[in-house]
Every structure is written in C-alpha cells, then in structure tokens.
Coordinates of all heavy atoms in Angstrom, one line a residue:
M1 N 165.4 99.4 226.1 CA 166.7 99.8 226.7 C 167.0 98.8 227.9 O 166.2 98.7 228.8 CB 166.7 101.2 227.1 CG 168.0 101.7 227.6 SD 168.0 103.4 228.1 CE 168.0 104.3 226.6
D2 N 168.1 98.2 227.8 CA 168.4 97.2 229.0 C 169.2 97.9 230.1 O 169.6 99.1 229.9 CB 169.1 96.0 228.4 CG 170.5 96.3 227.9 OD1 170.7 97.5 227.4 OD2 171.4 95.4 227.8
I3 N 169.4 97.2 231.1 CA 170.0 97.8 232.3 C 171.5 98.3 232.0 O 172.0 99.2 232.6 CB 170.0 96.9 233.5 CG1 170.4 97.6 234.8 CG2 170.8 95.6 233.3 CD1 169.4 98.6 235.3
T4 N 172.2 97.5 231.2 CA 173.6 97.9 230.9 C 173.7 99.2 230.2 O 174.5 100.0 230.5 CB 174.2 96.7 230.1 OG1 174.2 95.5 230.8 CG2 175.7 97.0 229.8
T5 N 172.8 99.4 229.2 CA 172.8 100.6 228.5 C 172.4 101.8 229.4 O 173.0 102.9 229.3 CB 171.7 100.6 227.3 OG1 172.0 99.4 226.5 CG2 171.7 101.9 226.5
M6 N 171.5 101.6 230.4 CA 171.1 102.6 231.3 C 172.3 103.0 232.2 O 172.5 104.1 232.6 CB 169.9 102.2 232.1 CG 168.6 102.2 231.2 SD 167.1 101.6 232.0 CE 167.3 101.7 233.7
R7 N 173.0 102.0 232.6 CA 174.2 102.2 233.5 C 175.3 102.9 232.7 O 176.0 103.9 233.3 CB 174.8 100.9 233.9 CG 174.0 100.2 235.0 CD 174.6 98.9 235.4 NE 173.8 98.2 236.4 CZ 173.9 97.0 236.8 NH1 174.7 96.2 236.2 NH2 173.1 96.5 237.7
I8 N 175.5 102.7 231.4 CA 176.5 103.4 230.6 C 176.1 104.9 230.5 O 176.9 105.7 230.6 CB 176.7 102.7 229.2 CG1 177.3 101.4 229.4 CG2 177.4 103.6 228.3 CD1 177.3 100.5 228.1
V9 N 174.8 105.1 230.2 CA 174.2 106.5 230.0 C 174.4 107.2 231.4 O 174.9 108.4 231.4 CB 172.8 106.5 229.6 CG1 172.2 107.8 229.7 CG2 172.7 105.9 228.2
A10 N 174.1 106.6 232.5 CA 174.2 107.3 233.8 C 175.7 107.5 234.1 O 176.1 108.6 234.6 CB 173.7 106.4 234.9
T11 N 176.6 106.7 233.8 CA 178.0 106.8 234.0 C 178.5 108.0 233.1 O 179.3 108.9 233.6 CB 178.9 105.6 233.7 OG1 178.4 104.5 234.5 CG2 180.3 105.8 233.9
L12 N 178.2 108.1 231.9 CA 178.6 109.1 231.0 C 178.0 110.5 231.5 O 178.7 111.5 231.4 CB 178.2 108.8 229.6 CG 179.0 107.6 228.9 CD1 178.5 107.4 227.5 CD2 180.5 108.0 228.9
A13 N 176.8 110.5 231.9 CA 176.2 111.8 232.3 C 176.9 112.3 233.6 O 177.2 113.4 233.7 CB 174.7 111.5 232.6
S14 N 177.2 111.3 234.5 CA 177.9 111.7 235.7 C 179.3 112.2 235.4 O 179.8 113.3 236.0 CB 178.1 110.5 236.7 OG 176.8 110.1 237.0
M15 N 180.0 111.6 234.4 CA 181.3 112.1 234.1 C 181.3 113.4 233.5 O 182.1 114.3 233.7 CB 182.0 111.1 233.1 CG 183.4 111.5 232.8 SD 184.2 110.4 231.5 CE 184.0 108.8 232.2
A16 N 180.3 113.7 232.6 CA 180.1 115.0 231.9 C 179.8 116.1 233.0 O 180.4 117.2 232.9 CB 179.0 114.9 230.9
C17 N 179.0 115.8 234.0 CA 178.7 116.8 235.1 C 180.0 117.0 235.8 O 180.3 118.2 236.2 CB 177.7 116.2 236.0 SG 176.0 116.3 235.3
F18 N 180.8 116.0 236.2 CA 182.0 116.2 236.9 C 183.0 117.1 236.1 O 183.6 118.0 236.7 CB 182.7 114.9 237.2 CG 184.0 114.9 237.9 CD1 184.1 115.2 239.2 CD2 185.2 114.8 237.2 CE1 185.3 115.3 239.8 CE2 186.4 114.9 237.8 CZ 186.5 115.2 239.1
I19 N 183.2 116.8 234.9 CA 184.1 117.6 234.0 C 183.6 119.0 233.9 O 184.4 119.9 233.9 CB 184.3 116.9 232.6 CG1 185.1 115.6 232.8 CG2 185.0 117.8 231.7 CD1 185.2 114.7 231.6
G20 N 182.3 119.2 233.7 CA 181.8 120.5 233.6 C 182.0 121.3 234.9 O 182.4 122.5 234.8
I21 N 181.8 120.7 236.1 CA 182.1 121.5 237.3 C 183.6 121.8 237.5 O 184.0 122.9 237.9 CB 181.5 120.6 238.5 CG1 180.0 120.6 238.4 CG2 182.0 121.2 239.8 CD1 179.4 119.6 239.4
W22 N 184.4 120.8 237.1 CA 185.8 121.0 237.2 C 186.3 122.1 236.3 O 187.0 123.0 236.7 CB 186.5 119.7 236.8 CG 188.0 119.7 236.9 CD1 188.7 119.5 238.1 CD2 189.0 120.0 235.9 NE1 190.0 119.6 237.8 CE2 190.2 119.9 236.5 CE3 188.9 120.2 234.5 CZ2 191.4 120.1 235.8 CZ3 190.0 120.4 233.8 CH2 191.3 120.3 234.4
V23 N 185.8 122.2 235.1 CA 186.2 123.3 234.1 C 185.6 124.6 234.7 O 186.4 125.6 234.7 CB 185.6 123.0 232.7 CG1 185.7 124.3 231.9 CG2 186.3 121.9 232.1
W24 N 184.4 124.6 235.2 CA 183.9 125.9 235.7 C 184.7 126.4 236.9 O 185.0 127.5 237.0 CB 182.5 125.6 236.2 CG 181.9 126.8 237.0 CD1 181.4 128.0 236.4 CD2 181.7 126.9 238.4 NE1 180.9 128.7 237.4 CE2 181.1 128.1 238.6 CE3 182.0 126.0 239.4 CZ2 180.8 128.5 239.9 CZ3 181.7 126.4 240.7 CH2 181.1 127.7 241.0
A25 N 185.1 125.5 237.8 CA 185.9 125.8 239.0 C 187.3 126.4 238.7 O 187.8 127.2 239.3 CB 186.0 124.6 239.9
Y26 N 187.9 125.9 237.6 CA 189.3 126.3 237.3 C 189.4 127.4 236.2 O 190.5 127.6 235.8 CB 190.1 125.0 236.9 CG 190.5 124.2 238.1 CD1 189.7 123.1 238.5 CD2 191.6 124.6 238.9 CE1 190.1 122.4 239.6 CE2 191.9 123.9 240.0 CZ 191.1 122.8 240.4 OH 191.5 122.0 241.5
R27 N 188.3 127.9 235.8 CA 188.4 129.0 234.8 C 188.9 130.2 235.5 O 188.6 130.5 236.7 CB 187.0 129.4 234.3 CG 186.4 128.4 233.4 CD 185.1 128.8 232.9 NE 185.2 129.1 231.4 CZ 184.2 129.4 230.7 NH1 183.0 129.4 231.2 NH2 184.3 129.6 229.5
G28 N 189.8 131.0 234.8 CA 190.3 132.2 235.4 C 189.3 133.3 235.7 O 189.5 134.1 236.6
R29 N 188.2 133.2 235.1 CA 187.1 134.2 235.3 C 186.5 134.2 236.7 O 186.1 135.1 237.2 CB 186.0 134.1 234.3 CG 184.9 135.0 234.3 CD 184.0 134.9 233.1 NE 183.5 133.6 233.0 CZ 182.5 133.2 232.2 NH1 182.1 134.1 231.3 NH2 182.0 132.0 232.1
N30 N 186.6 132.9 237.3 CA 186.0 132.7 238.6 C 187.0 133.0 239.8 O 186.6 132.9 240.9 CB 185.4 131.4 238.7 CG 184.3 131.2 237.8 OD1 183.5 132.1 237.6 ND2 184.2 130.0 237.2
K31 N 188.3 133.2 239.4 CA 189.3 133.3 240.5 C 189.1 134.3 241.5 O 189.2 134.1 242.7 CB 190.7 133.4 239.8 CG 191.9 133.4 240.8 CD 193.1 133.5 240.1 CE 194.3 133.5 241.0 NZ 194.2 133.3 242.4
S32 N 188.6 135.5 241.1 CA 188.4 136.6 242.0 C 187.3 136.3 243.0 O 187.4 136.5 244.2 CB 188.2 137.9 241.3 OG 187.0 137.8 240.6
R33 N 186.2 135.7 242.5 CA 185.1 135.3 243.4 C 185.6 134.2 244.4 O 185.3 134.3 245.6 CB 184.0 134.7 242.6 CG 183.3 135.8 241.8 CD 182.0 135.4 241.2 NE 181.9 133.9 241.0 CZ 180.9 133.4 240.3 NH1 180.0 134.0 239.8 NH2 180.9 132.1 240.0
F34 N 186.4 133.2 243.9 CA 186.9 132.1 244.9 C 187.9 132.7 245.9 O 187.8 132.3 247.0 CB 187.4 131.0 244.1 CG 186.4 130.2 243.3 CD1 186.7 129.7 242.0 CD2 185.1 130.1 243.7 CE1 185.8 129.0 241.3 CE2 184.1 129.4 242.9 CZ 184.5 128.9 241.7
D35 N 188.7 133.6 245.4 CA 189.7 134.3 246.4 C 188.9 135.0 247.5 O 189.3 135.0 248.6 CB 190.6 135.2 245.6 CG 191.7 134.4 244.8 OD1 191.8 133.1 245.1 OD2 192.3 134.9 243.9
E36 N 187.9 135.7 247.0 CA 187.1 136.5 248.0 C 186.4 135.6 249.0 O 186.4 135.8 250.2 CB 186.1 137.4 247.3 CG 185.2 138.2 248.2 CD 184.2 139.0 247.4 OE1 184.5 139.4 246.2 OE2 183.1 139.3 247.9
A37 N 185.8 134.5 248.5 CA 185.1 133.5 249.3 C 186.1 132.8 250.3 O 185.7 132.5 251.4 CB 184.3 132.5 248.5
A38 N 187.3 132.6 249.8 CA 188.3 131.9 250.7 C 188.7 132.8 251.9 O 189.1 132.3 252.9 CB 189.6 131.6 249.9
Q39 N 188.6 134.1 251.8 CA 188.9 135.0 252.9 C 187.8 135.2 253.9 O 188.0 135.8 254.9 CB 189.4 136.4 252.3 CG 190.7 136.2 251.5 CD 191.8 135.6 252.3 OE1 192.0 136.0 253.5 NE2 192.6 134.8 251.7
L40 N 186.6 134.8 253.6 CA 185.5 135.0 254.4 C 185.7 134.5 255.9 O 185.3 135.2 256.8 CB 184.2 134.4 253.9 CG 183.6 135.1 252.7 CD1 182.4 134.4 252.1 CD2 183.1 136.5 253.1
P41 N 186.2 133.4 256.1 CA 186.4 132.9 257.5 C 187.4 133.8 258.3 O 187.3 133.8 259.5 CB 187.0 131.5 257.4 CG 186.6 131.1 256.0 CD 186.6 132.3 255.1
F42 N 188.2 134.6 257.6 CA 189.2 135.4 258.4 C 188.8 136.8 258.6 O 189.4 137.5 259.3 CB 190.5 135.4 257.6 CG 191.0 133.9 257.3 CD1 191.0 133.4 256.0 CD2 191.5 133.2 258.3 CE1 191.5 132.2 255.8 CE2 191.9 131.9 258.2 CZ 192.0 131.4 256.9
E43 N 187.6 137.2 258.1 CA 187.2 138.6 258.3 C 186.6 138.8 259.7 O 186.0 137.9 260.3 CB 186.1 138.9 257.3 CG 186.6 139.0 255.8 CD 185.5 139.4 254.9 OE1 184.3 139.7 255.3 OE2 185.8 139.5 253.7
Q44 N 186.9 139.9 260.2 CA 186.3 140.3 261.5 C 184.9 140.9 261.3 O 184.7 141.7 260.4 CB 187.2 141.3 262.2 CG 188.6 140.7 262.5 CD 188.6 139.7 263.6 OE1 187.8 139.7 264.4 NE2 189.5 138.7 263.5
D45 N 184.0 140.7 262.3 CA 182.7 141.3 262.2 C 182.7 142.7 262.7 O 183.5 143.2 263.4 CB 181.7 140.5 263.1 CG 181.3 139.2 262.4 OD1 181.4 139.1 261.2 OD2 181.0 138.2 263.1

C-alpha cells in the first residue's frame, strides 16, 4: 500500500466520521437532549 492510497483511506474515513456525527446531531430524536443541555448555563443553583 503506497502513501497515496493511505491518504485516500484516511480522507474517506474522516469524511465518514464527520457525516456520521452530523447525522447524529441533527436527528430529531436528540433534539430534547440538546435543548435541555442548551439551557444549562441559564439555570440557577
């Protein structure tokens, strides 16, 4: 395996991880958890 092939594999793996995280973040199922986490800085102790 030469260096160019390894760079292509690394680029594709990074892109797949990025797309996976993006899909996970924008799923409707996670909205309530993210909304709750967004309000944490405004809660009083």
